[in-house]
Amino acid sequence: MPRNERNRPTWDTEGLLHGDAKRAAVQDMFDQIASRYDLVNRIMTFRLDVRWRKVALRALGLAPGSVVLDLASGTGDMCIDLAHADLVPISVDLSYGMLHAGRSSAPRVQADILRLPVPDGSVDGVTCGFALRNLVDLDTFFRELHRVVRPGGRISLLDVGVPHNPLVRFGNGIYFGRIVPLIGGLLSDRAAYRYLPKSVAYLPPPATLVAMLQSAGFEHVVHRQLSGGLTQLLHATRTS
Ligand SMILES: C[S@@+](CC[C@H](N)C(=O)[O-])C[C@H]1O[C@@H](n2cnc3c(N)ncnc32)[C@H](O)[C@@H]1O
C-alpha cells in the first residue's frame, strides 16, 4: 500500500476514528483544550465530576500509603483527591498539554496507558477517569492493568454512561449533543466538545465491560451507575 494511503485516517460509518489515527487525534485534541479543560468540565457537569471522583476513590478501598497510578490523569483532579486520602498517586497521561496544565504535586509521566512503563505487580491500585472511550484497544488496556497491579490490588474506573431511563437518556442526549458543544465552543474548542457525545459509541455495554475485565483476570468486578447512569463506575480486584 502506498505510504500516504497507510497514513490516512480511517473513519467508520459513525464518523469515528480508530487505531493510531484515533490516538493521534485524541492527543492533539487534549493538547488543544488543556488550558480550559477544568473550567469547562466543572460547568458542563455542574461539579458532579467532583462527586463521581470521590465515589471512585472510596470504591478503591486501599489503605493509606498505597501507591496508585492515576491513568489518563488529565490535569490531576484524581491525584489531588488520592493525595488527600493519604494515598501516593502517580499521574500518567498521553497529552503533554494536560500534564503541563496539571495542578497536583504527583509525579507526572507522559505515556500511552496501553503500554505502561511500569514493572509487573508494582502498584497497589489504579484509577482512571473518563478515558476508556478514548483508548484504541480496551482489551489490551485491561490486561495492562492486571499486569501492573499487585495481587490483592484494586482498580476503579469511571466513564460517561448511558442512562437506562428513556426520559433521562433523551435529556442527556440533548444536553451533550447540543448544549455542551455550545458551552465548549464559547469557552474552548467546539470540535472537541462535539466529539464528546460521539465518543460514547466507542464504549461497549456494561455487561461486556465486566466480561472483559474478568477475562483480563480481575475478580469481584462491579459495575455501578452513578447519577442515574450519567456516569458509570467499574471496580475490581486482582486476587492472584
Ligand atoms: C476526558 S480526559 C479525563 C482526565 C481526568 N482523568 C479527569 O477525570 O478529568 C481524558 C484524558 O485521557 C487522556 N488519554 C487519552 N488517551 C490516552 C492514552 N492512550 N494514554 C494516556 N492518556 C490518554 C487524555 O490526554 C486526557 O487527559
Side-chain angles (χ1 to χ4, degrees):
M1 191 188 292
R3 201 173 137 66
N4 59 347
E5 284 280 304
R6 237 190 359 250
N7 293 339
R8 194 172 291 162
T10 321
W11 299 86
D12 69 8
T13 51
E14 312 287 321
L16 295 171
L17 287 170
H18 297 276
D20 289 344
K22 177 182 176 187
R23 188 189 346 258
V26 163
Q27 185 171 9
D28 281 355
M29 181 181 76
F30 282 103
D31 281 344
Q32 289 291 327
I33 65 173
S35 61
R36 291 289 185 98
Y37 176 82
D38 291 331
L39 173 70
V40 178
N41 219 16
R42 294 295 184 276
I43 292 175
M44 79 182 181
T45 68
F46 301 99
R47 290 189 68 82
L48 278 172
D49 63 309
V50 174
R51 186 185 306 171
W52 295 328
R53 280 192 205 89
K54 293 201 187 315
V55 178
L57 180 52
R58 273 200 302 278
L60 198 60
L62 287 169
S66 301
V67 174
V68 180
L69 290 181
D70 182 39
L71 301 182
S73 53
T75 54
D77 277 327
M78 182 63 97
C79 287
I80 293 170
D81 289 352
L82 287 162
H84 280 157
D86 289 329
L87 298 160
V88 183
I90 299 169
S91 164
V92 185
D93 202 281
L94 189 64
S95 157
Y96 286 105
M98 293 293 271
L99 289 166
H100 180 70
R103 292 168 291 100
S104 89
S105 51
R108 297 172 205 181
V109 180
Q110 192 278 338
D112 182 345
I113 58 175
L114 298 190
R115 290 188 298 269
L116 290 167
V118 171
D120 296 358
S122 58
V123 298
D124 300 301
V126 164
T127 51
C128 179
F130 304 98
L132 300 181
R133 73 209 126 88
N134 291 315
L135 302 178
V136 300
D137 182 349
L138 274 179
D139 268 321
T140 299
F141 179 56
F142 292 157
R143 282 198 301 274
E144 190 64 346
L145 296 188
H146 191 265
R147 180 184 73 74
V148 299
V149 170
R150 65 160 167 82
R154 297 270 301 151
I155 61 167
S156 186
L157 319 172
L158 286 168
D159 212 329
V160 293
V162 179
H164 284 322
N165 181 300
L167 262 182
V168 181
R169 195 163 59 238
F170 178 73
N172 193 45
I174 303 273
Y175 181 65
F176 274 101
R178 304 265 164 83
I179 317 268
V180 165
L182 267 181
I183 301 171
L186 283 173
L187 296 175
S188 179
D189 180 296
R190 189 179 169 86
Y193 287 92
R194 280 218 313 259
Y195 163 82
L196 176 64
K198 275 212 281 187
S199 65
V200 180
Y202 285 114
L203 280 176
T208 308
L209 287 169
V210 169
M212 288 166 84
L213 280 169
Q214 286 166 334
S215 80
F218 285 100
E219 294 188 53
H220 313 306
V221 182
V222 175
H223 178 275
R224 284 167 61 189
Q225 305 262 35
L226 306 183
S227 304
L230 297 180
T231 284
Q232 51 186 325
L233 170 67
L234 285 149
H235 51 92
T237 307
R238 175 179 172 178
T239 53
S240 56

